Amino acid sequence: MTNAYDEYMRGIVEPMRLELVDAGFTQLTTSDAVAEHMQEVKGTSLVVINSVCGCAAGLARPAAIEAVAQTTAKPDHLITVFAGQDKEATAQMRAFFGEVPPSSPSIAVVKDGELAYFIPREQIEGHMMEQVRDHLAGALDQVCAK
């Protein structure tokens, strides 16, 4: 049985999920899916910790999509988890980030299952989308080109 709040939230966040999915990101919604990806993946993964906040909508999601489109150093995998919605999946993903404090939205670049670069909310919120995009594109160039 689902309650009205859960149904409402699913309807609200669906377009926020689809924005990344439609851009080629794979959505991981369970802790098992995250663990499997992180333990078995080879190469680089761009991980967006999605959120319902305005800085995710106006900054993090568009910046991630545009950074991938503009860089020649493409990550091998595009991954997203949704903070506040897929709580177990998000917690499992964050467990792979070591001592990095939880932050959403945030963007991580993972190489062979190890955190290589992290952009926390503080480096997203209050910045122009183009700044976040260029920051991420630079990180992708640095990590993916190796």
Side-chain angles (χ1 to χ4, degrees):
M1 180 176 163
T2 60
N3 65 39
Y5 174 78
D6 290 338
E7 281 298 317
Y8 174 78
M9 287 308 295
R10 270 195 288 281
I12 292 293
V13 302
E14 189 63 21
M16 298 173 198
R17 291 178 184 275
L18 290 176
E19 185 175 358
L20 290 172
V21 170
D22 289 347
F25 283 75
T26 299
Q27 185 173 210
L28 303 179
T29 60
T30 67
S31 59
D32 288 344
V34 170
E36 182 179 330
H37 174 79
M38 294 297 283
Q39 291 167 357
E40 296 179 7
V41 71
K42 299 291 184 231
T44 55
S45 296
L46 173 60
V47 179
V48 175
I49 308 275
N50 202 353
S51 176
V52 297
C53 69
C55 60
L59 300 170
R61 291 191 301 266
I65 292 165
E66 286 191 20
V68 169
Q70 83 174 24
T71 186
T72 56
K74 305 270 188 234
D76 300 303
H77 310 278
L78 303 174
I79 303 298
T80 184
V81 296
F82 208 115
Q85 300 301 306
D86 302 322
K87 294 175 185 174
E88 294 81 13
T90 303
Q92 180 68 47
M93 183 61 76
R94 287 177 172 154
F96 287 96
F97 298 165
E99 299 297 316
V100 174
S103 179
S104 57
S106 57
I107 305 169
V109 181
V110 177
K111 187 163 189 170
D112 296 327
E114 299 291 323
L115 182 63
Y117 200 90
F118 189 78
I119 302 174
R121 179 185 180 111
E122 295 79 33
Q123 294 176 14
I124 298 171
E125 185 177 38
H127 293 81
M128 300 294 295
M129 189 282 295
E130 294 80 7
Q131 291 173 306
V132 179
R133 178 201 62 210
D134 294 348
H135 182 178
L136 177 56
L140 291 171
D141 287 343
Q142 176 186 347
V143 176
C144 296
K146 292 182 179 178

